[in-house]
Amino acid sequence: MATIRFATLCILSLLWPVGAARAVDLVVVVNPACSVARLSRDDVINLYMGRLRKLPDGTPARPIDLLSASGQEKQLFYQRLLSRDLAEVRAYWARLTFSGQASPPVQADSTEEVLTLVQRNPGGIGYVERSRTDARVRIVFELGDK
């Protein structure tokens, strides 16, 4: 009887999704020299969708986006911010780029590169996991860990 219980527990543990318990707490960050203390959800949407080209303090904005292959953060960012998947976001940017209306955010290969680019650009704005933030950036919006 104990062997059957053990075998059942082993099988159930294999079926449990790996990483399902790990929540990702995403935040939007800017260069610490930027005078903007907080951004609204609408501000972040408009900056990342090319509708705003300047931060609220007048600094030219430089949104930084992760490459899709760099992890789950990009998918989570757009899902939480816009309730859209990456295919819809790519289609949106393809239309804008083709029409010459705007250029998509700068692409970064990793979270570390996002942090470095934000630090080096006065108007830099990016998104990262809260646990990855450091003195190079300042949090201005929280997407949470839904």
PDB file of all heavy atoms in Angstrom, residues 62-91:
ATOM      1  N   ARG A  62      13.269  57.098 -24.372  1.00  0.00           N
ATOM      2  CA  ARG A  62      13.933  56.012 -25.097  1.00  0.00           C
ATOM      3  C   ARG A  62      13.481  54.693 -24.475  1.00  0.00           C
ATOM      4  O   ARG A  62      14.177  54.129 -23.623  1.00  0.00           O
ATOM      5  CB  ARG A  62      15.433  56.161 -25.013  1.00  0.00           C
ATOM      6  CG  ARG A  62      16.133  55.090 -25.820  1.00  0.00           C
ATOM      7  CD  ARG A  62      17.565  55.415 -26.009  1.00  0.00           C
ATOM      8  NE  ARG A  62      18.176  54.330 -26.734  1.00  0.00           N
ATOM      9  CZ  ARG A  62      19.054  54.484 -27.682  1.00  0.00           C
ATOM     10  NH1 ARG A  62      19.438  55.680 -28.022  1.00  0.00           N
ATOM     11  NH2 ARG A  62      19.574  53.445 -28.283  1.00  0.00           N
ATOM     12  N   PRO A  63      12.291  54.203 -24.895  1.00  0.00           N
ATOM     13  CA  PRO A  63      11.810  52.922 -24.357  1.00  0.00           C
ATOM     14  C   PRO A  63      12.728  51.778 -24.780  1.00  0.00           C
ATOM     15  O   PRO A  63      13.210  51.746 -25.914  1.00  0.00           O
ATOM     16  CB  PRO A  63      10.430  52.757 -24.975  1.00  0.00           C
ATOM     17  CG  PRO A  63      10.073  54.083 -25.530  1.00  0.00           C
ATOM     18  CD  PRO A  63      11.350  54.798 -25.809  1.00  0.00           C
ATOM     19  N   ILE A  64      12.953  50.872 -23.866  1.00  0.00           N
ATOM     20  CA  ILE A  64      13.805  49.714 -24.122  1.00  0.00           C
ATOM     21  C   ILE A  64      12.984  48.467 -23.871  1.00  0.00           C
ATOM     22  O   ILE A  64      12.351  48.325 -22.827  1.00  0.00           O
ATOM     23  CB  ILE A  64      15.064  49.757 -23.232  1.00  0.00           C
ATOM     24  CG1 ILE A  64      15.845  51.028 -23.568  1.00  0.00           C
ATOM     25  CG2 ILE A  64      15.913  48.514 -23.440  1.00  0.00           C
ATOM     26  CD1 ILE A  64      16.709  51.534 -22.468  1.00  0.00           C
ATOM     27  N   ASP A  65      12.984  47.588 -24.839  1.00  0.00           N
ATOM     28  CA  ASP A  65      12.175  46.377 -24.825  1.00  0.00           C
ATOM     29  C   ASP A  65      13.096  45.163 -24.835  1.00  0.00           C
ATOM     30  O   ASP A  65      14.180  45.209 -25.414  1.00  0.00           O
ATOM     31  CB  ASP A  65      11.315  46.368 -26.094  1.00  0.00           C
ATOM     32  CG  ASP A  65      10.034  45.602 -25.969  1.00  0.00           C
ATOM     33  OD1 ASP A  65       9.810  44.948 -24.936  1.00  0.00           O
ATOM     34  OD2 ASP A  65       9.235  45.658 -26.918  1.00  0.00           O
ATOM     35  N   LEU A  66      12.678  44.102 -24.222  1.00  0.00           N
ATOM     36  CA  LEU A  66      13.442  42.856 -24.277  1.00  0.00           C
ATOM     37  C   LEU A  66      13.131  42.113 -25.567  1.00  0.00           C
ATOM     38  O   LEU A  66      12.000  42.174 -26.075  1.00  0.00           O
ATOM     39  CB  LEU A  66      13.078  41.960 -23.093  1.00  0.00           C
ATOM     40  CG  LEU A  66      13.686  42.346 -21.753  1.00  0.00           C
ATOM     41  CD1 LEU A  66      12.996  41.600 -20.621  1.00  0.00           C
ATOM     42  CD2 LEU A  66      15.176  42.050 -21.738  1.00  0.00           C
ATOM     43  N   LEU A  67      14.116  41.406 -26.087  1.00  0.00           N
ATOM     44  CA  LEU A  67      13.857  40.511 -27.206  1.00  0.00           C
ATOM     45  C   LEU A  67      12.960  39.383 -26.724  1.00  0.00           C
ATOM     46  O   LEU A  67      13.038  38.972 -25.569  1.00  0.00           O
ATOM     47  CB  LEU A  67      15.171  39.929 -27.737  1.00  0.00           C
ATOM     48  CG  LEU A  67      16.085  40.910 -28.462  1.00  0.00           C
ATOM     49  CD1 LEU A  67      17.437  40.261 -28.727  1.00  0.00           C
ATOM     50  CD2 LEU A  67      15.450  41.358 -29.759  1.00  0.00           C
ATOM     51  N   SER A  68      12.128  38.867 -27.579  1.00  0.00           N
ATOM     52  CA  SER A  68      11.209  37.796 -27.189  1.00  0.00           C
ATOM     53  C   SER A  68      11.935  36.568 -26.663  1.00  0.00           C
ATOM     54  O   SER A  68      11.459  35.902 -25.750  1.00  0.00           O
ATOM     55  CB  SER A  68      10.349  37.380 -28.387  1.00  0.00           C
ATOM     56  OG  SER A  68       9.566  38.459 -28.790  1.00  0.00           O
ATOM     57  N   ALA A  69      13.081  36.268 -27.225  1.00  0.00           N
ATOM     58  CA  ALA A  69      13.803  35.057 -26.860  1.00  0.00           C
ATOM     59  C   ALA A  69      14.498  35.159 -25.505  1.00  0.00           C
ATOM     60  O   ALA A  69      15.027  34.182 -25.005  1.00  0.00           O
ATOM     61  CB  ALA A  69      14.839  34.729 -27.934  1.00  0.00           C
ATOM     62  N   SER A  70      14.489  36.344 -24.885  1.00  0.00           N
ATOM     63  CA  SER A  70      15.247  36.526 -23.651  1.00  0.00           C
ATOM     64  C   SER A  70      14.529  36.025 -22.403  1.00  0.00           C
ATOM     65  O   SER A  70      15.088  36.048 -21.324  1.00  0.00           O
ATOM     66  CB  SER A  70      15.637  37.991 -23.488  1.00  0.00           C
ATOM     67  OG  SER A  70      14.477  38.777 -23.360  1.00  0.00           O
ATOM     68  N   GLY A  71      13.296  35.590 -22.504  1.00  0.00           N
ATOM     69  CA  GLY A  71      12.584  35.068 -21.344  1.00  0.00           C
ATOM     70  C   GLY A  71      11.119  35.428 -21.368  1.00  0.00           C
ATOM     71  O   GLY A  71      10.605  35.935 -22.355  1.00  0.00           O
ATOM     72  N   GLN A  72      10.458  35.185 -20.245  1.00  0.00           N
ATOM     73  CA  GLN A  72       9.028  35.395 -20.174  1.00  0.00           C
ATOM     74  C   GLN A  72       8.642  36.831 -19.846  1.00  0.00           C
ATOM     75  O   GLN A  72       7.478  37.197 -19.946  1.00  0.00           O
ATOM     76  CB  GLN A  72       8.427  34.467 -19.136  1.00  0.00           C
ATOM     77  CG  GLN A  72       8.829  34.790 -17.707  1.00  0.00           C
ATOM     78  CD  GLN A  72       8.168  33.892 -16.693  1.00  0.00           C
ATOM     79  OE1 GLN A  72       7.282  33.129 -17.020  1.00  0.00           O
ATOM     80  NE2 GLN A  72       8.608  33.988 -15.460  1.00  0.00           N
ATOM     81  N   GLU A  73       9.586  37.674 -19.465  1.00  0.00           N
ATOM     82  CA  GLU A  73       9.261  39.015 -19.021  1.00  0.00           C
ATOM     83  C   GLU A  73       8.533  39.823 -20.090  1.00  0.00           C
ATOM     84  O   GLU A  73       7.587  40.543 -19.786  1.00  0.00           O
ATOM     85  CB  GLU A  73      10.514  39.784 -18.570  1.00  0.00           C
ATOM     86  CG  GLU A  73      11.089  39.315 -17.261  1.00  0.00           C
ATOM     87  CD  GLU A  73      12.126  38.221 -17.435  1.00  0.00           C
ATOM     88  OE1 GLU A  73      12.301  37.711 -18.567  1.00  0.00           O
ATOM     89  OE2 GLU A  73      12.763  37.867 -16.435  1.00  0.00           O
ATOM     90  N   LYS A  74       8.964  39.726 -21.346  1.00  0.00           N
ATOM     91  CA  LYS A  74       8.335  40.522 -22.400  1.00  0.00           C
ATOM     92  C   LYS A  74       6.867  40.132 -22.570  1.00  0.00           C
ATOM     93  O   LYS A  74       5.997  41.003 -22.639  1.00  0.00           O
ATOM     94  CB  LYS A  74       9.083  40.354 -23.718  1.00  0.00           C
ATOM     95  CG  LYS A  74       8.521  41.213 -24.830  1.00  0.00           C
ATOM     96  CD  LYS A  74       9.391  41.183 -26.059  1.00  0.00           C
ATOM     97  CE  LYS A  74       8.885  42.137 -27.109  1.00  0.00           C
ATOM     98  NZ  LYS A  74       9.850  42.331 -28.188  1.00  0.00           N
ATOM     99  N   GLN A  75       6.590  38.841 -22.626  1.00  0.00           N
ATOM    100  CA  GLN A  75       5.207  38.386 -22.762  1.00  0.00           C
ATOM    101  C   GLN A  75       4.377  38.862 -21.571  1.00  0.00           C
ATOM    102  O   GLN A  75       3.274  39.369 -21.738  1.00  0.00           O
ATOM    103  CB  GLN A  75       5.154  36.863 -22.869  1.00  0.00           C
ATOM    104  CG  GLN A  75       3.737  36.305 -22.918  1.00  0.00           C
ATOM    105  CD  GLN A  75       2.975  36.701 -24.165  1.00  0.00           C
ATOM    106  OE1 GLN A  75       3.516  36.710 -25.256  1.00  0.00           O
ATOM    107  NE2 GLN A  75       1.719  37.045 -24.005  1.00  0.00           N
ATOM    108  N   LEU A  76       4.914  38.719 -20.365  1.00  0.00           N
ATOM    109  CA  LEU A  76       4.191  39.159 -19.169  1.00  0.00           C
ATOM    110  C   LEU A  76       3.973  40.667 -19.162  1.00  0.00           C
ATOM    111  O   LEU A  76       2.905  41.143 -18.772  1.00  0.00           O
ATOM    112  CB  LEU A  76       4.951  38.741 -17.909  1.00  0.00           C
ATOM    113  CG  LEU A  76       4.937  37.256 -17.574  1.00  0.00           C
ATOM    114  CD1 LEU A  76       5.871  36.970 -16.410  1.00  0.00           C
ATOM    115  CD2 LEU A  76       3.536  36.782 -17.266  1.00  0.00           C
ATOM    116  N   PHE A  77       4.971  41.421 -19.582  1.00  0.00           N
ATOM    117  CA  PHE A  77       4.861  42.873 -19.615  1.00  0.00           C
ATOM    118  C   PHE A  77       3.677  43.312 -20.469  1.00  0.00           C
ATOM    119  O   PHE A  77       2.811  44.066 -20.020  1.00  0.00           O
ATOM    120  CB  PHE A  77       6.162  43.489 -20.138  1.00  0.00           C
ATOM    121  CG  PHE A  77       6.105  44.981 -20.314  1.00  0.00           C
ATOM    122  CD1 PHE A  77       6.116  45.820 -19.209  1.00  0.00           C
ATOM    123  CD2 PHE A  77       6.059  45.544 -21.573  1.00  0.00           C
ATOM    124  CE1 PHE A  77       6.079  47.207 -19.366  1.00  0.00           C
ATOM    125  CE2 PHE A  77       6.019  46.919 -21.745  1.00  0.00           C
ATOM    126  CZ  PHE A  77       6.025  47.756 -20.637  1.00  0.00           C
ATOM    127  N   TYR A  78       3.619  42.831 -21.712  1.00  0.00           N
ATOM    128  CA  TYR A  78       2.546  43.254 -22.610  1.00  0.00           C
ATOM    129  C   TYR A  78       1.193  42.663 -22.214  1.00  0.00           C
ATOM    130  O   TYR A  78       0.160  43.298 -22.388  1.00  0.00           O
ATOM    131  CB  TYR A  78       2.905  42.948 -24.064  1.00  0.00           C
ATOM    132  CG  TYR A  78       3.942  43.915 -24.572  1.00  0.00           C
ATOM    133  CD1 TYR A  78       5.263  43.523 -24.748  1.00  0.00           C
ATOM    134  CD2 TYR A  78       3.610  45.238 -24.835  1.00  0.00           C
ATOM    135  CE1 TYR A  78       6.225  44.422 -25.180  1.00  0.00           C
ATOM    136  CE2 TYR A  78       4.562  46.146 -25.269  1.00  0.00           C
ATOM    137  CZ  TYR A  78       5.862  45.732 -25.443  1.00  0.00           C
ATOM    138  OH  TYR A  78       6.807  46.640 -25.867  1.00  0.00           O
ATOM    139  N   GLN A  79       1.206  41.479 -21.652  1.00  0.00           N
ATOM    140  CA  GLN A  79      -0.044  40.888 -21.185  1.00  0.00           C
ATOM    141  C   GLN A  79      -0.616  41.701 -20.023  1.00  0.00           C
ATOM    142  O   GLN A  79      -1.800  42.011 -19.997  1.00  0.00           O
ATOM    143  CB  GLN A  79       0.178  39.430 -20.766  1.00  0.00           C
ATOM    144  CG  GLN A  79      -1.088  38.709 -20.363  1.00  0.00           C
ATOM    145  CD  GLN A  79      -2.095  38.627 -21.501  1.00  0.00           C
ATOM    146  OE1 GLN A  79      -1.733  38.296 -22.625  1.00  0.00           O
ATOM    147  NE2 GLN A  79      -3.334  38.947 -21.229  1.00  0.00           N
ATOM    148  N   ARG A  80       0.228  42.059 -19.077  1.00  0.00           N
ATOM    149  CA  ARG A  80      -0.241  42.815 -17.915  1.00  0.00           C
ATOM    150  C   ARG A  80      -0.553  44.265 -18.247  1.00  0.00           C
ATOM    151  O   ARG A  80      -1.470  44.850 -17.703  1.00  0.00           O
ATOM    152  CB  ARG A  80       0.794  42.761 -16.791  1.00  0.00           C
ATOM    153  CG  ARG A  80       0.903  41.389 -16.184  1.00  0.00           C
ATOM    154  CD  ARG A  80       1.954  41.342 -15.120  1.00  0.00           C
ATOM    155  NE  ARG A  80       2.164  39.967 -14.671  1.00  0.00           N
ATOM    156  CZ  ARG A  80       3.156  39.596 -13.903  1.00  0.00           C
ATOM    157  NH1 ARG A  80       4.031  40.485 -13.473  1.00  0.00           N
ATOM    158  NH2 ARG A  80       3.284  38.338 -13.550  1.00  0.00           N
ATOM    159  N   LEU A  81       0.225  44.865 -19.139  1.00  0.00           N
ATOM    160  CA  LEU A  81       0.036  46.271 -19.470  1.00  0.00           C
ATOM    161  C   LEU A  81      -1.143  46.484 -20.416  1.00  0.00           C
ATOM    162  O   LEU A  81      -1.971  47.364 -20.201  1.00  0.00           O
ATOM    163  CB  LEU A  81       1.314  46.830 -20.095  1.00  0.00           C
ATOM    164  CG  LEU A  81       1.330  48.332 -20.376  1.00  0.00           C
ATOM    165  CD1 LEU A  81       1.281  49.116 -19.065  1.00  0.00           C
ATOM    166  CD2 LEU A  81       2.570  48.707 -21.172  1.00  0.00           C
ATOM    167  N   LEU A  82      -1.217  45.648 -21.469  1.00  0.00           N
ATOM    168  CA  LEU A  82      -2.204  45.867 -22.525  1.00  0.00           C
ATOM    169  C   LEU A  82      -3.263  44.777 -22.653  1.00  0.00           C
ATOM    170  O   LEU A  82      -4.183  44.928 -23.454  1.00  0.00           O
ATOM    171  CB  LEU A  82      -1.487  45.941 -23.884  1.00  0.00           C
ATOM    172  CG  LEU A  82      -0.386  46.960 -24.052  1.00  0.00           C
ATOM    173  CD1 LEU A  82       0.375  46.695 -25.335  1.00  0.00           C
ATOM    174  CD2 LEU A  82      -0.977  48.353 -24.051  1.00  0.00           C
ATOM    175  N   SER A  83      -3.070  43.674 -21.946  1.00  0.00           N
ATOM    176  CA  SER A  83      -3.912  42.483 -22.128  1.00  0.00           C
ATOM    177  C   SER A  83      -3.833  42.002 -23.581  1.00  0.00           C
ATOM    178  O   SER A  83      -4.835  41.633 -24.190  1.00  0.00           O
ATOM    179  CB  SER A  83      -5.363  42.756 -21.737  1.00  0.00           C
ATOM    180  OG  SER A  83      -5.447  43.087 -20.375  1.00  0.00           O
ATOM    181  N   ARG A  84      -2.621  42.043 -24.124  1.00  0.00           N
ATOM    182  CA  ARG A  84      -2.370  41.599 -25.503  1.00  0.00           C
ATOM    183  C   ARG A  84      -1.200  40.624 -25.507  1.00  0.00           C
ATOM    184  O   ARG A  84      -0.305  40.717 -24.681  1.00  0.00           O
ATOM    185  CB  ARG A  84      -2.001  42.789 -26.400  1.00  0.00           C
ATOM    186  CG  ARG A  84      -3.020  43.887 -26.471  1.00  0.00           C
ATOM    187  CD  ARG A  84      -4.051  43.582 -27.545  1.00  0.00           C
ATOM    188  NE  ARG A  84      -4.930  44.686 -27.784  1.00  0.00           N
ATOM    189  CZ  ARG A  84      -6.124  44.822 -27.223  1.00  0.00           C
ATOM    190  NH1 ARG A  84      -6.546  43.946 -26.351  1.00  0.00           N
ATOM    191  NH2 ARG A  84      -6.891  45.843 -27.518  1.00  0.00           N
ATOM    192  N   ASP A  85      -1.193  39.734 -26.496  1.00  0.00           N
ATOM    193  CA  ASP A  85      -0.043  38.837 -26.612  1.00  0.00           C
ATOM    194  C   ASP A  85       0.986  39.450 -27.559  1.00  0.00           C
ATOM    195  O   ASP A  85       0.737  40.467 -28.210  1.00  0.00           O
ATOM    196  CB  ASP A  85      -0.461  37.425 -27.024  1.00  0.00           C
ATOM    197  CG  ASP A  85      -1.083  37.358 -28.407  1.00  0.00           C
ATOM    198  OD1 ASP A  85      -0.817  38.241 -29.248  1.00  0.00           O
ATOM    199  OD2 ASP A  85      -1.839  36.413 -28.662  1.00  0.00           O
ATOM    200  N   LEU A  86       2.142  38.815 -27.646  1.00  0.00           N
ATOM    201  CA  LEU A  86       3.241  39.375 -28.440  1.00  0.00           C
ATOM    202  C   LEU A  86       2.926  39.450 -29.924  1.00  0.00           C
ATOM    203  O   LEU A  86       3.375  40.369 -30.599  1.00  0.00           O
ATOM    204  CB  LEU A  86       4.523  38.574 -28.207  1.00  0.00           C
ATOM    205  CG  LEU A  86       5.174  38.776 -26.847  1.00  0.00           C
ATOM    206  CD1 LEU A  86       6.439  37.945 -26.731  1.00  0.00           C
ATOM    207  CD2 LEU A  86       5.471  40.238 -26.589  1.00  0.00           C
ATOM    208  N   ALA A  87       2.142  38.526 -30.439  1.00  0.00           N
ATOM    209  CA  ALA A  87       1.789  38.565 -31.865  1.00  0.00           C
ATOM    210  C   ALA A  87       1.009  39.841 -32.181  1.00  0.00           C
ATOM    211  O   ALA A  87       1.241  40.478 -33.218  1.00  0.00           O
ATOM    212  CB  ALA A  87       0.978  37.328 -32.245  1.00  0.00           C
ATOM    213  N   GLU A  88       0.113  40.231 -31.294  1.00  0.00           N
ATOM    214  CA  GLU A  88      -0.658  41.458 -31.507  1.00  0.00           C
ATOM    215  C   GLU A  88       0.236  42.697 -31.418  1.00  0.00           C
ATOM    216  O   GLU A  88       0.081  43.641 -32.206  1.00  0.00           O
ATOM    217  CB  GLU A  88      -1.786  41.558 -30.474  1.00  0.00           C
ATOM    218  CG  GLU A  88      -2.858  40.501 -30.663  1.00  0.00           C
ATOM    219  CD  GLU A  88      -3.851  40.486 -29.525  1.00  0.00           C
ATOM    220  OE1 GLU A  88      -3.425  40.208 -28.373  1.00  0.00           O
ATOM    221  OE2 GLU A  88      -5.042  40.757 -29.781  1.00  0.00           O
ATOM    222  N   VAL A  89       1.172  42.691 -30.493  1.00  0.00           N
ATOM    223  CA  VAL A  89       2.090  43.818 -30.348  1.00  0.00           C
ATOM    224  C   VAL A  89       2.987  43.911 -31.583  1.00  0.00           C
ATOM    225  O   VAL A  89       3.208  45.002 -32.123  1.00  0.00           O
ATOM    226  CB  VAL A  89       2.923  43.693 -29.056  1.00  0.00           C
ATOM    227  CG1 VAL A  89       3.994  44.776 -28.972  1.00  0.00           C
ATOM    228  CG2 VAL A  89       2.008  43.747 -27.838  1.00  0.00           C
ATOM    229  N   ARG A  90       3.489  42.787 -32.059  1.00  0.00           N
ATOM    230  CA  ARG A  90       4.337  42.783 -33.270  1.00  0.00           C
ATOM    231  C   ARG A  90       3.558  43.302 -34.475  1.00  0.00           C
ATOM    232  O   ARG A  90       4.088  44.070 -35.284  1.00  0.00           O
ATOM    233  CB  ARG A  90       4.860  41.380 -33.547  1.00  0.00           C
ATOM    234  CG  ARG A  90       6.049  41.021 -32.714  1.00  0.00           C
ATOM    235  CD  ARG A  90       6.690  39.711 -33.207  1.00  0.00           C
ATOM    236  NE  ARG A  90       7.172  39.006 -32.056  1.00  0.00           N
ATOM    237  CZ  ARG A  90       6.608  37.933 -31.510  1.00  0.00           C
ATOM    238  NH1 ARG A  90       5.537  37.396 -32.045  1.00  0.00           N
ATOM    239  NH2 ARG A  90       7.118  37.379 -30.439  1.00  0.00           N
ATOM    240  N   ALA A  91       2.299  42.882 -34.616  1.00  0.00           N
ATOM    241  CA  ALA A  91       1.465  43.341 -35.728  1.00  0.00           C
ATOM    242  C   ALA A  91       1.249  44.854 -35.653  1.00  0.00           C
ATOM    243  O   ALA A  91       1.301  45.550 -36.679  1.00  0.00           O
ATOM    244  CB  ALA A  91       0.131  42.604 -35.724  1.00  0.00           C
TER     245      ALA A  91
END
